[in-house]
Amino acid sequence: SNTNFSVKLKKLGVINTKLQQYYSAVHYAESFRDVKHQTMKMHCLKCVYPLCWFCCFFVFFLHHQDVKLQFIAASYDAAGNFLQWQSLEGGILQLCPDTQTKLNAAYVFGTTYEQSCKISVSKILLDFPNPIFYDLFLEYNGENGQQHLWAVPVLNLDLQYREMYVNQGSNMNNWLLTRRFFLVDALSGKENDMGKLPRVIRVASKISISVRLVSHTQRGNIYPPLITVAYTDVLVQNPDTQSVMVSFSVNYEMNQSEAQIQTDITLGVLGGLAVLWSLLKTAGWKRRTGSSVIDLQTVLKFLLFYAGDLANVFFIITVGTGIYWLVFFKAQQFVSVFLPLPSQEKAFVTYIACAFSLKALQFLQLLVSQLTIDIFFIDWERPKGKVLKAVEGKGAVKSAAAPVSIWRTYFIANEWNEIQTVRKINPVFQVLAVLFFLEVVGFSNLALMDSSSSLTRSSDTYIAPWSRILRFGVSAALWLAIAFLQIIFFAVFYERFVEDKLNQFVDLCCVSNISVFILSHSCFGYYIHGRSVHGHADTNMEEMNMNLKREAENLCSQRGLLPNTDGQTFQISISRKMRLQYDRIHETLTRRRGPARFLDSSANTFEQSTRAYNAMNKFLSSFIDHVHKEMDYIVKDKLLLERILGMEFMEPIEKSIFYNDEGHSFDDVLYYGNETTLLIFDILFFSIVDLASQSFVLAAILTYLQQEIFRFIRNTVGQKNLTSKTLVDERFLI
């Protein structure tokens, strides 16, 4: 009789210890969008142009209309007399002062709300001289369009029953739910004189409203909200200096057990496939090393392969999870999902940490393998005539072969040194572009725990807390999208019309009359055939241009290793005999780097290195020319399954095998051929820093720094390995 609301009051009475009434579903807040956008969606689906679908989805995704929870409180004085009905908007239950807009944001459906502050005891005593008790109700529309009120249960954490705090446990069956609560009690603490300050006041220091979604709902069905209250007793001594910490929060939750089960199943299946894939990689590695014995090194190699593959599994799961919540929470038309609570994100963060740790291990293993490859530049140039040369110490003169210029080898070594850290994307542009879209365009706002999909937020509106899942989903999606666009642009436009560094290097080798022999494993590597079809490359400009013109007009033979072919790049699987001979010469080639006591003099060292270089050059060139019949080779194509699995089925027992390479697979020993590993490592590094600091700017800065540090290490140590294996003087590498 005291209400002005045209509602039908549901007669629930006092809620008892049983929770059946608490778990009765309430149909509320069907849609985040209004009806006209449902009509717009229907028109979009009828359109036959995919671009229209994208535009409609983008507009639909960004549009948002707030739906608010209509909470109504019945207030009573200390004697139990009814005072009034009032809406919770305006900060009725929020002790912390704030603007009206931010206070009312607590009841926007789907917005996780957090507010905390310190309030002085003197202000509390001034604002709440007498306690006011509240009964909370949720207003909603029934199926027949009538308005109804549903009583909201209260979980008082300080309630005792039989000298036990029954509401502080996790077992819901032991809870005692009540209906009435208060914010401040400054009356019970007064002892003798009602006009004096109370000795103790009781303050609702923590108020939390929980809204739980009904499982498998498609129309926004929720259970009756639950309000949790925790009280703090404050001994009043000096009200002007004393303060109490209070907080108010609204959170939305749903049963995440099914999602966790599906994630565990996916992890188990993909993890099992990763084991099989790692075993295949280990078998391929054993064949490439020319060993068939399973030893400790084999087990360690398998673990390294498995670490990289398992990191990819964790990455796929976390990226899929992040994008799933980003799309299905932010773009849902009818409420069907709520974001996981911060306590439910621990498993997700653990997956990201595991992915980063394992990917870092794979990246370091990749770095070490690239810094220890064997490489040699085969110079095909032959002397042009003879020259007179004085015999040292005898005063006589004899004829000798004209020396071959070393500058072409130095030039090729410089070019190889430059392409060691070339990538398919521009790392600096990648980091700046991601940071631009996150912080300037405003994609970071999609990571807030609210239902809004707007990229801009006003300073006078409430800013919801961050969701770690959404932060990772937004940043990872941007990283992948920008990297994908860069790779497409690089492959379709830049390499075709501007510059293709790897193909240019192969062409340069042919023009310079120098081949590149690379061994990434003991018995496996790559060969770039750079033998000039003109016989000589150490010539003047006029002859060089004439040779290029003849080649352009097809007036000479083709550049390929085999007659009448253009194939210049090969994957090579060499025999054990070939490897042993290579190692014997290579040992003398690098002996000059041993302890000084084993060397006679610097002159002898130089002569030994020169002889070893010439011996290696002569051996490899004669090997390519089929001179050594006991160490010969054959040229063939790889089977399709061999290409897919990345391994070779035939063992090079009698003869080595050269596999035709249509592309440039020698980039596997460069950054260029490992872009996927580098990109995933950068994404995970960026995400780990961001999750730890909650700062995209700091994550971008540290990601750029780690890229530069590892690039410097790869360049510096790779250059030293190049000079050690090829005998090119480091002073000529610029």
Side-chain angles (χ1 to χ4, degrees):
S1 60
N2 292 321
T3 179
N4 294 323
F5 291 89
S6 298
V7 299
K8 178 181 178 182
L9 184 61
K10 303 214 37 114
K11 299 180 180 179
L12 293 178
V14 178
I15 297 181
N16 55 20
T17 59
K18 303 299 181 181
L19 298 182
Q20 284 83 358
Q21 293 172 336
Y22 170 60
Y23 282 109
S24 300
V26 176
H27 183 66
Y28 192 81
E30 269 190 7
S31 173
F32 281 157
R33 278 86 180 168
D34 52 18
V35 178
K36 66 180 180 181
H37 284 83
Q38 171 67 11
T39 306
M40 182 194 73
K41 179 182 177 184
M42 296 297 294
H43 287 296
C44 286
L45 294 177
K46 294 179 182 179
C47 182
V48 296
Y49 298 103
L51 181 60
C52 293
W53 294 350
F54 174 78
C55 294
C56 286
F57 175 78
F58 186 74
V59 173
F60 182 76
F61 184 83
L62 292 182
H63 179 81
H64 172 262
Q65 182 182 19
D66 291 338
V67 177
K68 291 189 177 181
L69 290 171
Q70 301 296 331
F71 284 108
I72 299 175
S75 56
Y76 303 85
D77 61 14
N81 299 316
F82 177 80
L83 298 178
Q84 62 177 338
W85 289 94
Q86 55 187 143
S87 172
L88 292 191
E89 292 190 357
I92 301 301
L93 301 184
Q94 293 147 276
L95 296 178
C96 295
D98 212 329
T99 63
Q100 192 78 7
T101 303
K102 293 183 179 180
L103 291 174
N104 294 340
Y107 308 107
V108 175
F109 189 74
T111 299
T112 299
Y113 186 89
E114 292 180 357
Q115 182 196 50
S116 61
C117 65
K118 279 187 176 181
I119 302 181
S120 64
V121 174
S122 60
K123 187 177 187 309
I124 292 176
L125 293 175
L126 180 64
D127 294 341
F128 300 92
N130 296 308
I132 299 178
F133 294 85
Y134 298 97
D135 279 357
L136 200 60
F137 297 89
L138 176 65
E139 181 184 356
Y140 69 100
N141 294 325
E143 296 180 357
N144 54 5
Q146 290 182 317
Q147 288 181 301
H148 300 273
L149 292 182
W150 195 286
V152 177
V154 177
L155 181 66
N156 186 350
L157 297 181
D158 297 293
L159 182 64
Q160 295 187 46
Y161 180 72
R162 295 179 181 176
E163 299 182 354
M164 292 181 61
Y165 289 96
V166 293
N167 291 338
Q168 294 186 0
S170 58
N171 188 359
M172 293 190 192
N173 293 323
N174 295 331
W175 286 357
L176 290 177
L177 303 181
T178 56
R179 284 277 299 278
R180 191 162 293 183
F181 67 98
F182 61 89
L183 297 181
V184 177
D185 179 14
L187 180 63
S188 302
K190 295 184 178 181
E191 294 180 330
N192 298 323
D193 191 352
M194 296 295 292
K196 293 184 178 179
L197 293 177
R199 184 171 178 270
V200 177
I201 62 173
R202 177 165 292 174
V203 181
S205 57
K206 181 180 179 181
I207 300 178
S208 176
I209 300 177
S210 299
V211 180
R212 188 177 181 87
L213 193 68
V214 176
S215 300
H216 307 292
T217 182
Q218 299 296 329
R219 292 285 183 174
N221 290 339
I222 63 173
Y223 294 110
L226 175 68
I227 180 168
T228 303
V229 183
Y231 291 97
T232 298
D233 293 337
V234 180
L235 182 63
V236 179
Q237 295 176 337
N238 189 348
D240 294 330
T241 58
Q242 288 181 276
S243 61
V244 58
M245 176 66 72
V246 297
S247 66
F248 180 86
S249 63
V250 180
N251 58 75
Y252 297 82
E253 58 182 305
M254 61 178 291
N255 187 3
Q256 301 288 342
S257 58
E258 184 176 350
Q260 185 61 44
I261 292 174
Q262 293 175 351
T263 302
D264 293 340
I265 292 174
T266 305
L267 180 60
V269 173
L270 294 182
L273 294 177
V275 172
L276 297 178
W277 187 245
S278 300
L279 288 173
L280 286 174
K281 284 184 177 180
T282 307
W285 173 81
K286 289 294 291 182
R287 179 154 293 185
R288 290 180 174 184
T289 56
S291 173
S292 58
V293 180
I294 299 178
D295 51 8
L296 181 59
Q297 185 182 12
T298 305
V299 176
L300 293 177
K301 199 67 179 179
F302 165 75
L303 294 177
L304 287 174
F305 283 137
Y306 185 58
D309 294 333
L310 191 59
N312 294 335
V313 170
F314 279 118
F315 179 76
I316 292 172
I317 291 176
T318 51
V319 170
T321 302
I323 296 178
Y324 167 83
W325 286 112
L326 177 64
V327 173
F328 282 88
F329 176 73
K330 290 290 185 176
Q332 61 184 334
Q333 179 185 3
F334 296 103
V335 182
S336 58
V337 292
F338 283 151
L339 289 174
L341 298 175
S343 59
Q344 297 171 329
E345 294 178 334
K346 293 180 180 178
F348 180 82
V349 176
T350 302
Y351 288 165
I352 296 178
C354 292
F356 172 73
S357 302
L358 296 173
K359 184 56 68 172
L361 189 62
Q362 181 193 18
F363 173 70
L364 293 177
Q365 185 267 340
L366 171 68
L367 199 63
V368 172
S369 64
Q370 289 192 358
L371 295 176
T372 55
I373 63 169
D374 292 317
I375 183 172
F376 191 82
F377 300 118
I378 306 172
D379 192 352
W380 296 99
E381 194 77 10
R382 295 295 177 259
K384 293 182 178 180
K386 294 186 177 183
V387 295
L388 297 177
K389 183 178 180 181
V391 180
E392 195 172 322
K394 296 183 179 180
V397 178
K398 67 175 183 178
S399 63
V404 176
S405 173
I406 194 65
W407 287 107
R408 291 171 297 101
T409 302
Y410 286 166
F411 182 52
I412 294 298
N414 267 287
E415 292 301 314
W416 177 267
N417 188 50
E418 288 183 6
I419 66 174
Q420 287 191 100
T421 54
V422 171
R423 294 181 58 174
K424 295 180 181 179
I425 65 172
N426 187 320
V428 178
F429 174 80
Q430 178 76 23
V431 173
L432 292 178
V434 170
L435 189 60
F436 172 79
F437 280 102
L438 286 173
E439 295 295 343
V440 179
V441 178
F443 276 86
S444 60
N445 290 320
L446 295 177
L448 297 174
M449 297 180 69
D450 57 27
S451 59
S452 175
S453 303
S454 175
L455 300 182
T456 58
R457 303 296 173 93
S458 175
S459 59
D460 58 348
T461 59
Y462 172 75
I463 305 298
W466 299 105
S467 168
R468 290 178 290 186
I469 292 181
L470 293 186
R471 284 183 75 93
F472 178 79
V474 171
S475 60
L478 283 175
W479 269 91
L480 293 174
I482 296 173
F484 178 76
L485 292 177
Q486 278 203 79
I487 292 173
I488 294 298
F489 172 80
F490 191 80
V492 175
F493 178 78
Y494 189 83
E495 285 188 341
R496 181 173 297 181
F497 299 105
V498 181
E499 183 182 30
D500 186 351
K501 290 184 177 294
L502 268 65
N503 283 330
Q504 285 180 354
F505 177 78
V506 175
D507 292 338
L508 190 62
C509 288
C510 189
V511 173
S512 303
N513 204 16
I514 289 178
S515 296
V516 184
F517 190 85
I518 307 167
L519 289 178
S520 58
H521 300 73
S522 297
C523 297
F524 180 84
Y526 308 92
Y527 174 66
I528 303 174
H529 187 63
R531 192 170 189 174
S532 175
V533 297
H534 309 288
H536 293 279
D538 194 1
T539 182
N540 56 33
M541 181 184 295
E542 181 181 358
E543 187 175 352
M544 177 67 72
N545 290 332
M546 185 63 65
N547 290 339
L548 294 176
K549 182 178 180 181
R550 291 177 56 208
E551 195 170 350
E553 296 175 352
N554 292 324
L555 299 178
C556 59
S557 59
Q558 294 176 298
R559 292 182 174 183
L561 175 62
L562 298 178
N564 300 319
T565 62
D566 289 326
Q568 292 181 259
T569 57
F570 301 86
Q571 295 182 11
I572 59 176
S573 184
I574 63 175
S575 63
R576 194 65 185 168
K577 186 182 296 185
M578 163 66 181
R579 178 68 200 198
L580 291 175
Q581 180 64 21
Y582 180 89
D583 287 340
R584 280 194 290 268
I585 303 176
H586 186 265
E587 182 181 356
T588 58
L589 181 66
T590 57
R591 188 177 297 170
R592 67 187 182 93
R593 297 186 178 274
R597 63 177 180 271
F598 294 114
L599 305 177
D600 298 332
S601 64
S602 59
N604 289 338
T605 302
F606 176 75
E607 291 178 2
Q608 289 175 0
S609 300
T610 303
R611 286 197 298 268
Y613 171 81
N614 292 329
M616 180 67 78
N617 193 76
K618 183 178 180 179
F619 167 69
L620 292 179
S621 58
S622 61
F623 169 73
I624 299 299
D625 284 339
H626 301 278
V627 173
H628 306 281
K629 298 303 180 182
E630 72 282 2
M631 292 181 291
D632 206 355
Y633 67 91
I634 60 174
V635 180
K636 59 172 298 185
D637 293 326
K638 263 193 172 184
L639 300 175
L640 177 62
L641 190 58
E642 287 180 315
R643 296 180 182 181
I644 295 175
L645 298 180
M647 61 184 298
E648 297 74 39
F649 295 157
M650 292 183 60
E651 289 191 42
I653 300 176
E654 297 290 336
K655 295 182 178 182
S656 300
I657 304 174
F658 279 40
Y659 295 99
N660 289 311
D661 181 18
E662 297 178 356
H664 36 67
S665 58
F666 65 88
D667 60 11
D668 286 345
V669 299
L670 307 171
Y671 263 9
Y672 189 92
N674 298 274
E675 185 59 56
T676 302
T677 300
L678 298 174
L679 179 62
I680 294 177
F681 177 74
D682 289 341
I683 294 175
L684 292 172
F685 184 90
F686 180 91
S687 301
I688 284 292
V689 176
D690 173 62
L691 292 179
S693 64
Q694 298 287 289
S695 172
F696 288 124
V697 176
L698 179 62
I701 293 174
L702 293 183
T703 301
Y704 170 74
L705 290 178
Q706 69 86 9
Q707 289 175 343
E708 290 299 308
I709 290 173
F710 283 115
R711 188 180 66 85
F712 174 78
I713 294 174
R714 177 66 179 85
N715 272 331
T716 304
V717 183
Q719 181 174 308
K720 293 184 179 298
N721 180 68
L722 183 64
T723 59
S724 172
K725 301 296 175 62
T726 63
L727 208 64
V728 173
D729 198 317
E730 190 174 2
R731 291 171 295 181
F732 292 97
L733 297 179
I734 57 176

